[in-house]
């Protein structure tokens, strides 16, 4: 804690205040966030977030891996939206390689990415509501999340750490009845969102707890680097999917929900609306799913099919080479940003021309969004801190990396 | 006239029975809550111990008894030990004056279904339950932990504030029935209005019933007023530092209080044990108790239902709700009731 004592004064600054330590083990700091509060009664005088309790060293680990071996690491940065991280990393490396991704893979990626967004927002909604005391919503959200996780399992073999998107495409052709199952879910889901909204949106207690709480102005949000629904809740109309399209997002029609108030309720409305938009995009992806290959035609980068490996000598050799030596990526650097459920998730990759990245840096949306917390909470009550933390939707794995 | 020996003997027997019934009811209210909330939330609730998990309360009891009873080194021991006992004692005491039915005669002895038939029963209940705040406040203070302290502070402020609205909401009923004896209040509710509507106090006093309901939730620290133990803010509030049986005692106290307020609501607003009586004499004797239990069950069910539905208030909103809304409403209700009664007489 040497760094802590130098940056954060743990002594109360006034006679009538006391220091309250929230976390890293606390039911509502969403993982291992530590927040140090200086309180006067129940009123917050100062609030100091302290991060680093979930440091995994993933960024550094990436430098010791072949490019394709980094994909499973990206799942583990933000464990609530693994595919978004997969996508961002794959897009960045593909940009360096100059790979062309076949349309079907792109559409699959968009579809899975939107399902991931729903998955992530459901966890957010459930835990956020739980923090404010509405326990039932939590279990309702996890019921639908379970359906999505089953879809993930069907398509990738894993519920959470999917690693489904690979450099050059996606890992596997989806199973036969997969699209029917997705369509079934997409048909059911809007009524479930109504159900959550019935319990929360019009609820006077929910409104009292969220409206006007943890307000942040658009200027502050931009100045502190906020992005995603946290930014859009303050009335800034910015969404990378629409404004800097990637992976075929330009083919989809969707609205970017924004709200003006900048309070917890505004951010809540934005995300709930995003649930509806995302499921509509899943429907569009199902309706317009092109036919064709799911991997780029780049035998030196993309692993061959199992079938070909057993019948064609070249395929076997490529497979052996990719697995044992990786593939060289042209020297250069690239920054690729995607709209993750939490905001702008970016991967900055430097290649020195070898098969391992020289440097991988992840731009974390949560880290920037967390900076808003002191601004949101000062002068408010302890209960508002909980609501504010919930409303910026942080994942500590992504913050600490 | 009973001799003093038989009076003591009968009272003791009734106390034992009442305590047994109450504690069992407490245990099964916990079971009911877990089951009902579970089903509301797409879960099963307890299923493993016994059929429908019916033996779960026993298993929990055994677990609490055999768990290590940790006493953190930084607590102020005398009060830390006393607090849960105070909470549970005050929670259980009020059952003494609650009647559960008319008098019955067993073996030639006429006795009322009530441990002590005092003519100020309601005052005793109000007094004893408000002492219960000491258990919570002392637990929060003596634990010497910041979260407990905040929980204890919240609890004392909340209980003291809502006590007033709670008391005032009952005064309307007292004006109507003209007695503080619970038995007489229930008797005043027999019969019907215009031959159809039961003569329950809830009909002329529905605003008072609403106030009582709200205040009772706050008094018993239940959602949406469960701020003293709001686990997402204060970890566990006033009982953060308690474990094993001491923790279980707070739990028992909370549920016993729930049952007490359910009893009071049934007696004061819902006509107590009045209901259709038919069949053989034995059934006739049991039915009133059954109707009474049914009302309590209904009240507890609403408690649980609300828990499954609503989020939690914030501390300042809770105080504002109590002082700026419930209290004026209670006073207005009281004034109107008094005026109407005065004009009628």
């Amino acid at each position: 804690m040497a760094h802590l004592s130098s940056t954060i004064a743990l002594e109360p600054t006034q006679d009538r205040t006391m220091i309250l330590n929230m976390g890293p083990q606390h039911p509502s700091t969403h993982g291992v966030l530590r927040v140090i509060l200086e309180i006067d009664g129940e009123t917050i005088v100062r609030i100091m977030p302290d991060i680093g309790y979930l440091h995994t060293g993933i960024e550094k680990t990436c430098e010791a891996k072949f490019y394709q071996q980094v994909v499973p690491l990206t799942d583990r940065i933000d464990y609530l939206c693994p595919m978004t991280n997969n996508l961002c990393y794959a897009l960045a490396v593909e940009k360096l390689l100059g790979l062309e991704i076949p349309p079907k893979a792109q559409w699959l990626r968009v579809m899975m990415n939107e399902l991931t967004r729903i998955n992530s927002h459901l966890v957010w909604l459930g835990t956020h509501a739980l923090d404010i005391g509405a326990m039932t919503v939590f279990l309702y959200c996890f019921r639908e999340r379970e359906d999505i996780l089953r879809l993930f399992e069907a398509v990738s073999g894993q519920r959470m750490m999917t690693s489904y998107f690979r450099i050059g495409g996606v890992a596997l052709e989806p199973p036969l009845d997969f699209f029917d199952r997705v369509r079934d879910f997409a048909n059911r889901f809007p009524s479930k969102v109504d159900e959550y909204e019935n319990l929360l949106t019009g609820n006077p207690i929910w409104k009292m707890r969220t409206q006007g709480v943890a307000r942040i102005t658009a200027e502050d949000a931009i100045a502190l680097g906020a992005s995603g629904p946290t930014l859009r809740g303050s009335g800034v109309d910015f969404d990378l999917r629409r404004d800097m399209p990637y992976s075929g997002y330009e083919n989809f029609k969707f609205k970017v929900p924004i709200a003006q108030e900048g309070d917890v309720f505004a951010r809540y409305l934005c995300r709930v609306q995003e649930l509806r938009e995302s499921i509509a995009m899943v429907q569009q992806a199902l309706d317009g799913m092109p036919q064709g290959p799911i991997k780029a035609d780049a035998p030196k980068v993309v692993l061959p099919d199992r079938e070909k490996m057993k019948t064609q000598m070249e395929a076997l050799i490529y497979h052996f080479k990719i697995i044992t030596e990786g593939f060289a990526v042209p020297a250069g650097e690239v920054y690729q940003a995607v709209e993750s459920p939490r905001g702008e998730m970016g991967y900055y990759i430097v290649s020195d021309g070898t098969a391992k990245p020289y440097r991988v840096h992840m731009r974390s949306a949560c880290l920037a969004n967390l900076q808003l917390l002191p601004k949101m909470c000062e002068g408010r009550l302890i209960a508002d801190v909980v609501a504010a933390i919930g409303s910026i939707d942080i994942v500590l794995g992504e913050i600490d990396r | 006239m009973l001799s003093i020996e038989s009076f003591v003997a009968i009272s003791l027997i009734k106390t034992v029975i009442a305590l047994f019934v109450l504690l069992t009811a407490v245990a099964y209210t916990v079971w009911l809550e877990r089951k009902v909330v579970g089903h509301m939330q797409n879960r099963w609730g307890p299923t493993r111990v016994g059929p429908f998990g019916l033996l779960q309360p026993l298993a929990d009891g055994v677990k609490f008894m055999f768990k290590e009873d940790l006493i953190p080194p930084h607590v102020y021991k005398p009060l830390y030990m006393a607090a849960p006992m105070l909470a549970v004692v005050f929670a259980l005491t009020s059952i003494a004056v609650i009647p559960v039915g008319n008098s019955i005669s067993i073996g030639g002895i006429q006795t009322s279904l009530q441990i002590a038939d005092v003519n100020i029963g309601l005052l005793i209940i109000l007094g004893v339950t408000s002492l219960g705040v000491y258990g919570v406040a002392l637990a929060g203070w003596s634990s010497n932990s910041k979260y407990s302290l905040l929980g204890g502070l919240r609890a004392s402020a909340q209980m003291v504030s809502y006590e007033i609205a709670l008391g005032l909401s009952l005064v309307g009923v007292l004006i109507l029935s003209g007695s503080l004896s619970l038995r007489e209040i229930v008797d005043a509710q027999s019969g019907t209005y215009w031959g159809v509507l039961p003569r329950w106090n809830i009909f002329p006093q529905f605003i008072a019933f609403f106030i009582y309901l709200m205040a009772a939730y706050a008094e018993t620290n239940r959602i949406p007023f469960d701020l003293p133990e709001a686990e997402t803010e204060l970890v566990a509030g006033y009982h953060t530092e308690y474990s094993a049986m001491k923790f279980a005692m707070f739990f028992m106290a909370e549920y016993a209080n729930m049952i007490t307020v359910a009893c009071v609501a049934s007696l004061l607003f819902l006509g107590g044990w009045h209901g259709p009586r038919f069949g053989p004499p034995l059934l006739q004797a049991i039915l009133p108790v059954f109707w009474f239990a049914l009302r309590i069950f209904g009240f507890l069910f609403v408690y649980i239902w609300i828990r499954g539905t609503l989020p939690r208030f914030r501390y300042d909103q809770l105080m504002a709700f109590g002082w700026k809304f419930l209290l004026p409403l209670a006073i207005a209700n009281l004034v109107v009731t008094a005026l109407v009664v005065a004009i009628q007489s």
Side-chain angles (χ1 to χ4, degrees), chain B residues 35-54:
Chain B
K35 211 69 185 165
V36 171
V37 171
H39 279 270
M40 283 176 184
Q41 299 174 338
N42 293 307
R43 300 182 285 122
W44 285 106
T47 54
R48 295 297 159 130
V49 195
F52 307 108
L54 273 170

Side-chain angles (χ1 to χ4, degrees), chain B residues 18-342:
Chain B
L19 266 186
F20 175 77
V21 170
L22 181 63
L23 289 178
T24 314
V26 165
Y28 279 91
T29 310
V30 179
W31 175 85
L32 184 76
E33 167 152 21
R34 293 174 67 176
K35 211 69 185 165
V36 171
V37 171
H39 279 270
M40 283 176 184
Q41 299 174 338
N42 293 307
R43 300 182 285 122
W44 285 106
T47 54
R48 295 297 159 130
V49 195
F52 307 108
L54 273 170
L55 298 178
Q56 186 69 40
L58 282 180
D60 286 344
V62 171
K63 185 189 82 176
F64 279 129
M65 265 181 257
F66 285 97
K67 272 210 154 176
E68 186 186 357
D69 194 357
L70 281 171
I71 299 177
H74 52 72
V75 301
Y76 179 60
K77 245 184 168 181
L79 287 180
Y80 177 85
M81 307 280 271
M85 295 175 200
L86 285 178
V88 85
V89 164
F90 290 133
L92 295 180
T93 307
S94 41
I95 198 72
V97 293
I98 289 176
V100 296
N102 281 323
S103 53
I104 53 164
S105 65
I106 299 168
I109 305 170
Q110 187 79 16
T111 182
S112 57
L113 289 175
Q114 186 177 16
I115 296 172
D117 188 4
V118 281
N119 56 4
I120 51 162
L122 190 61
L123 273 189
I124 290 185
I125 291 185
L126 286 177
V128 169
T129 46
S130 52
L131 282 175
V133 73
Y134 279 106
V136 173
L138 290 178
W141 181 79
S142 66
S143 291
N144 239 336
S145 141
K146 289 169 183 170
Y147 285 113
S148 303
L149 180 67
L150 284 171
L153 279 176
R154 282 182 175 189
S156 15
Q158 167 177 341
M159 285 166 135
V160 169
S161 311
Y162 277 74
E163 197 101 298
I164 302 169
L166 183 98
L168 282 177
S169 74
L170 298 181
V171 177
V173 173
L174 300 183
I175 292 175
L176 283 187
S177 51
S179 167
L180 273 170
S181 155
L182 291 165
R183 185 168 293 280
E184 281 170 33
I185 293 173
V186 173
D187 287 341
Q189 295 178 68
S190 60
T192 53
Y193 293 112
W194 314 297
V196 276
L197 201 61
R199 215 179 169 77
W200 296 351
N201 284 330
I202 184 175
F203 299 113
Q205 285 291 317
F206 62 92
I207 295 175
F209 181 70
F210 164 76
I211 297 166
Y212 178 81
L213 206 64
M214 293 294 110
Y217 286 152
E219 279 291 293
T220 48
N221 300 332
R222 296 279 303 179
I223 271 194
F225 304 109
D226 66 336
L227 292 123
E229 46 196 297
E231 77 275 359
T232 48
E233 294 155 30
L234 300 183
V235 187
Y238 61 89
H239 56 58
T240 306
E241 304 289 339
Y242 283 90
S243 56
M245 210 53 211
K246 291 204 192 72
F247 167 75
M249 279 168 150
F250 281 118
F251 222 70
M252 275 160 63
E254 179 180 329
Y255 282 84
N257 278 329
M258 276 167 68
I259 292 175
T260 307
V261 296
C263 287
V264 173
S266 314
L267 292 171
L268 265 62
F269 292 100
L270 299 173
W273 50 82
H274 291 306
R277 290 169 77 174
F278 47 82
L282 184 65
L283 192 65
Q284 292 232 6
I286 291 174
L287 267 177
V289 181
F290 173 74
W291 294 127
F292 187 54
L294 197 67
R295 287 180 176 102
I296 295 172
F297 172 80
F299 202 84
L300 290 176
F301 185 83
V302 176
Y303 252 113
I304 296 166
W305 188 4
I306 297 240
R307 156 129 197 247
T309 317
L310 289 184
R312 177 184 306 124
F313 275 99
R314 202 174 58 206
Y315 183 58
D316 58 327
Q317 294 165 345
L318 169 104
M319 295 310 254
F321 184 71
W323 287 105
K324 294 184 187 161
F325 179 70
L326 279 189
L327 185 62
L329 193 65
I331 292 173
N333 177 63
L334 179 59
V335 170
V336 171
T337 310
L339 277 177
V340 169
V341 170

